[in-house]
Amino acid sequence: MTSVPSKSLWIRRQQCPCGDWKCYITYEGDSDEGSGAQELVKEEKASSGAMITPYVGMVFKSDDEAFEYYGNFARKNGFSVRKERSRVSPQLGIYKRDFVCYRSGFAPVKRKPNGEHHRDRKSVRCGCDAKMYLSKEVVDGVSQWFVVQFSNIHNHELLEDDQVRLLPAYRKIHEADQERILLLSKAGFPIHRIVKMLELEKGIQGGQLPFLERDVRNFVQNRKKVVQENEALLSEKRENDISELLEACKAMKEVDGDFVYDFTVDENDKVENVAWSYGDSVNANAMFGDVVYFDTTYRSITYGLLFGVWFGIDSCGRTMFFGSVLLQDETPQSFSWALQTFLRFMNGRCPQTILTDLDPGLKDAIRSEYPGTKHVIPPWNILYKVPSWFSLPVGPRYAEFKSMFDALIQIENTEEFELQWRDMISVFGFGSDNHMDLLYSVRASWAQSYVRGYFLARMATITYSKSIDTFLKGIFAAQTCLRSFFEQVGISANIQHQANQETHYMHLKTCIPVEEHARSILTPFAFNALQQELLLAMQYAASEMANGSYIVRHFKSMDGERLVIWLAEEEQIHCSCKEFESSGILCRHALRVFIIKNYFQLPDKYYLSRWRRECSLLIDDDHNNQSTDGEWFQEYQSLAETLFSESSITKERSDYARSQLTKELTRILDEVRNLPDTDGVLMNMAVSPNG
């Protein structure tokens, strides 16, 4: 009976953004089965390794282990093996196994019902006597398989390495190749063109695939019938799953009035796209929605749906979930709907900067829907594509090319970038490469020389990338139906929003007053970043220029100097590295000038609100207002511990905190006592400082 998968399977998008549907991306860490070239290398290494010839008395843990060993031995020696006979007993089950050469025995003579012979087809069997027989024995309660007969005498010619790999026993079409074959077949490619395409993609010579053209033909013919039978069932399952997803959204809306969702339908009233977000996410975006990362890495191979997630970063450096969407395709129209819906969910707040993967359709949609937003493609979304695109065209010079490309990304001057780009194209002969053309067309979104100074809130880092990957893997760990998938997204988002930043004392590492003042204002995450810049600032020398600006350089380095412009009247400072514009944290070069100017405190404008402690407390308070009875006390206790820790540093702090705390608590207590004794809402009276 034919059936479709009961679960929705999610994989990373493999379609290349270059626009050529025949081109696809491979990822580091993918299964080795995805690379035929890697598989061939593995097989060659296995065949070249030393291997002991089987002998009578040789012991194996199982008959499967013995068959695998004999098969590897056979491949190395130019033949293949098959399972011949087995014997069974009530006490031991299968207790004897006979493995023989693939040419053992003789083909039986087949006759048609009328007595005529079948069409003669030459058989490979020639009565070869090469074999390995095994017998099972139980020793101290443990089953073991012993070789009781072995012969390696053949009555036929043994094959060379390039011939033995084509024996039926060794010809395999791995899962990744199966998906690629079906895709090319569906697009109308003939079998011989599919084989040629696979050889080109894997960078191997003709005839070096681990399977033959007829294997591909048989596979396609066998799968066509299954696919046709499954398409109707899959379409029905997709509609049922999406219907359940919308029911789950409706139920969530009834429970949480701040939950938002929307969807679109086609001309046949079938659901196309679905998007949703939570009240906590909307509130978090109001605080930290200045920079948003829109991830579109995964898609469902069961339904063909693309999964998109909006992320941010809070004042404590934690990854924030803002919303998610399921799209039927990857067209600019679908992306535009997603961006419009997200903007509506977030009460019209448009991000200052949006980070995405390299996708021309998405880039067009962002330009259309968010015209005032800076679009950035983080380096990691460029670099993981580079091996798939250029390792084969460049060949043995790939390491040289990769080094040159890595340096190109970091160039800060646009004129120098353009010059080095032309040199790279010339050196490696990329005159008409479509991937190079694509990269160049979107260089304003990924090259450091163009995006330097865009506000990124420290999100374009490998650390942040890993946190996104962890979140997504947590969702896709269980491959489930869409309703369960929706619930898992909610669970993961809730974990993100409820994660509490550990309260810890931030030690001073310098004797600079600026550091102590910053500690009282910034969150630990932001303070640690500023503190690191302060420590590095001590390694820099600053030379004042005639116009009051400074040239700042490292004491060991003669190049890499920075220009720091100081406007004394406005207390404004600008560094050519543009770190403050990018992260909201002052750089070591600007801090060096402030130290020279004898500043004990940084001007208030250089403590962005998104990195301040009070910003973190506001979002936490907003979450607690929606939480269950008693959770507010845990937050109060945490604040009290922080206040005690901060006020214990000096006597002046302690005296001030004690006097102000007494006044404020007395005032709040008086106001609480003046409020009505009841409002009709049942409270949890078990909550107390001693509870």
Side-chain angles (χ1 to χ4, degrees), residues 319 471 488-500:
T319 300
F471 180 93
Q488 184 60 46
V489 171
I491 292 171
S492 298
N494 194 42
I495 291 173
Q496 293 278 2
H497 289 295
Q498 290 189 352
N500 292 318

Side-chain angles (χ1 to χ4, degrees), residues 38 141 193 397 402 474 490 552 664:
Q38 290 177 342
R193 289 284 295 144
R397 300 183 65 191
K402 183 64 165 54
V552 181
E664 286 300 311

Side-chain angles (χ1 to χ4, degrees), residues 89-254:
S89 77
Q91 294 78 21
L92 296 176
I94 297 177
Y95 70 98
K96 286 188 181 295
R97 281 285 195 188
D98 295 350
F99 303 145
V100 298
C101 173
Y102 77 113
R103 302 194 69 174
S104 173
F106 297 94
V109 178
K110 296 181 179 179
R111 295 180 180 275
K112 293 182 179 181
N114 58 8
E116 297 180 3
H117 285 282
H118 278 268
R119 178 174 59 88
D120 289 336
R121 180 178 297 172
K122 187 176 180 180
S123 172
V124 297
R125 298 192 182 188
C126 62
C128 180
D129 194 42
K131 62 196 174 187
M132 185 172 80
Y133 293 172
L134 294 100
S135 179
K136 182 169 71 173
E137 295 182 15
V138 178
V139 180
D140 296 330
V142 178
S143 296
Q144 292 182 328
W145 289 81
F146 294 84
V147 177
V148 294
Q149 287 189 54
F150 176 75
S151 172
N152 197 32
I153 300 175
H154 300 265
N155 64 352
H156 56 88
E157 184 179 354
L158 298 177
L159 305 177
E160 298 295 332
D161 287 344
D162 61 339
Q163 296 173 312
V164 72
R165 68 180 182 84
L166 299 178
L167 292 175
Y170 305 128
R171 298 203 308 263
K172 299 178 181 177
I173 303 180
H174 295 294
E175 184 176 345
D177 291 328
Q178 291 179 13
E179 294 179 9
R180 191 71 177 142
I181 289 169
L182 290 176
L183 176 64
L184 294 170
S185 176
K186 191 173 182 179
F189 272 54
I191 299 300
H192 72 279
R193 289 284 295 144
I194 293 176
V195 172
K196 186 64 177 177
M197 185 69 66
L198 292 173
E199 291 171 344
L200 290 173
E201 291 174 347
K202 296 176 185 297
I204 58 179
Q205 295 180 352
Q208 294 301 307
L209 289 170
F211 44 83
L212 301 176
E213 182 176 315
R214 70 169 176 264
D215 298 322
V216 176
R217 180 175 292 103
N218 292 337
F219 169 74
V220 170
Q221 290 174 348
N222 291 336
R223 287 297 297 268
K224 275 184 177 180
K225 182 179 180 181
V226 176
V227 169
Q228 291 171 353
E229 293 174 348
N230 277 355
E231 279 183 349
L233 295 174
L234 189 60
S235 176
E236 181 181 356
K237 175 173 169 53
R238 181 184 187 276
E239 291 183 30
N240 292 338
D241 259 16
I242 292 182
S243 177
E244 290 183 1
L245 172 62
L246 293 180
E247 287 296 323
C249 289
K250 183 178 179 181
M252 178 63 72
K253 182 67 175 177
E254 293 175 354

Side-chain angles (χ1 to χ4, degrees), residues 350-354 366-375:
C350 197
Q352 182 178 337
T353 309
I354 185 169
I366 291 172
R367 186 188 299 115
S368 173
E369 303 303 329
Y370 297 169
T373 296
K374 305 294 186 183
H375 180 206

Side-chain angles (χ1 to χ4, degrees), residues 302-343:
T302 307
Y303 303 137
L305 295 172
L306 178 70
F307 180 58
V309 196
W310 289 275
F311 294 103
I313 189 171
D314 73 356
S315 58
C316 296
R318 297 173 296 196
T319 300
M320 305 295 287
F321 172 88
F322 287 155
S324 52
V325 64
L326 290 171
L327 299 175
Q328 68 163 350
D329 54 40
E330 303 167 25
T331 61
Q333 293 75 20
S334 292
F335 284 131
S336 290
W337 179 84
L339 295 171
Q340 293 170 6
T341 304
F342 177 72
L343 194 64

